Amino acid sequence: MPAQSDVANRSVIIGRSSSHFTRITRIFAAELGVAYDFQVVRDLMSSNAEDYGGNPALRIPNLKTPQGVWFGALNISRELWRQSGRKLHVVWPEDLDAPVTANAQELVLQAMATEVSLVMAKVGGASEGGAHPVKLRTSLLNMLAWLEENAEAALAALPAQRDLSYLEVTLFCLVQHLEFREVLPTAGYAALNRFCQRFAARASAKETAFRFDT
Ligand SMILES: N[C@@H](CCC(=O)N[C@@H](CS)C(=O)NCC(=O)O)C(=O)O
């Protein structure tokens, strides 16, 4: 049983079980063996920063720690790495020094952000037929086509002795989420599906399956 002081000092992930950016952080926590509490943001339309742990961008995920609040999935994943006793070899975005790997990371994160815009516009009741949503969809399809063509090369270029990379975790969360939120059917992306099948075998992926919080 954890000591009471450990429980009192435990970090809190503020997010949603249906959010791909939140899932990144939960996969990192599981891989790194870091215990945390989970605080669900029930209303993503809230304009009160307090509902998001104080994040003025009104976004999730955020991580509450005794030192302060960390905003965003990358900051959180790094902080979880610092908290972990495991000292895994993680390849972070700034370690990607070839165009194929750096561009893959850029496009995965941009595709995730574009997907957020499309989902939030739908939730907010905006028309999907407007000029900008149509452009966003074209951009998303272009990015997915690029990733389908280049992801295998990018993954093969990662250091072989790594335990994990931000690229793999984010790519997995992106592809799974497109299907989960019915933004795009992903069955036609064979290379991306092969990658997801391999990644899905990890305990951290199994433990963090997308679901709508009740
Ligand atoms: N840069 C942030 C992006 C986070 C983000 O966009 N989260 C989405 C949920 S997956 C969100 O909070 N959406 C609310 C909104 O768009 O109003 C990160 O890397 O964590």
Side-chain angles (χ1 to χ4, degrees), residues 16 18-25 44-46 52 55 57-62 71-76 109 112-113 116-117 120-121 166 177:
R16 283 160 73 101
S18 55
S19 140
H20 50 1
F21 281 106
T22 302
R23 190 173 185 188
I24 297 169
T25 64
L44 267 196
M45 288 299 173
S46 165
Y52 304 83
N55 185 342
L58 311 178
R59 287 187 181 249
I60 53 170
N62 300 296
F71 304 151
L74 182 56
N75 274 340
I76 295 171
L109 293 174
M112 291 177 78
V116 170
S117 300
M120 292 306 290
Y166 200 70
H177 198 256

Side-chain angles (χ1 to χ4, degrees), residues 1-114:
M1 220 168 86
Q4 262 189 346
S5 59
D6 290 344
V7 175
N9 286 331
R10 196 184 275 172
S11 295
V12 181
I13 295 179
I14 302 168
R16 283 160 73 101
S17 308
S18 55
S19 140
H20 50 1
F21 281 106
T22 302
R23 190 173 185 188
I24 297 169
T25 64
R26 301 182 93 182
I27 289 178
F28 267 96
E31 294 277 344
L32 293 162
V34 176
Y36 61 91
D37 292 318
F38 192 58
Q39 182 181 320
V40 176
V41 175
R42 303 249 165 234
D43 178 13
L44 267 196
M45 288 299 173
S46 165
S47 296
N48 180 357
E50 289 318 305
D51 292 339
Y52 304 83
N55 185 342
L58 311 178
R59 287 187 181 249
I60 53 170
N62 300 296
L63 182 77
K64 215 173 351 171
T65 71
Q67 290 73 39
V69 181
W70 300 88
F71 304 151
L74 182 56
N75 274 340
I76 295 171
S77 302
R78 286 202 175 102
E79 172 57 15
L80 293 170
W81 184 88
R82 285 187 289 268
Q83 288 182 11
S84 168
R86 290 191 184 164
K87 295 303 162 239
L88 298 186
H89 177 189
V90 176
V91 178
W92 297 107
E94 65 272 21
D95 301 323
L96 304 175
D97 57 2
V100 73
T101 48
N103 291 341
Q105 183 69 83
E106 164 65 18
L107 292 186
V108 169
L109 293 174
Q110 184 54 58
M112 291 177 78
T114 300

Side-chain angles (χ1 to χ4, degrees), residues 128-145:
E128 285 180 63
H132 198 237
V134 167
K135 182 189 171 190
L136 287 182
R137 201 156 257 286
T138 303
S139 155
L140 187 59
L141 285 167
N142 290 350
M143 290 188 279
L144 262 286

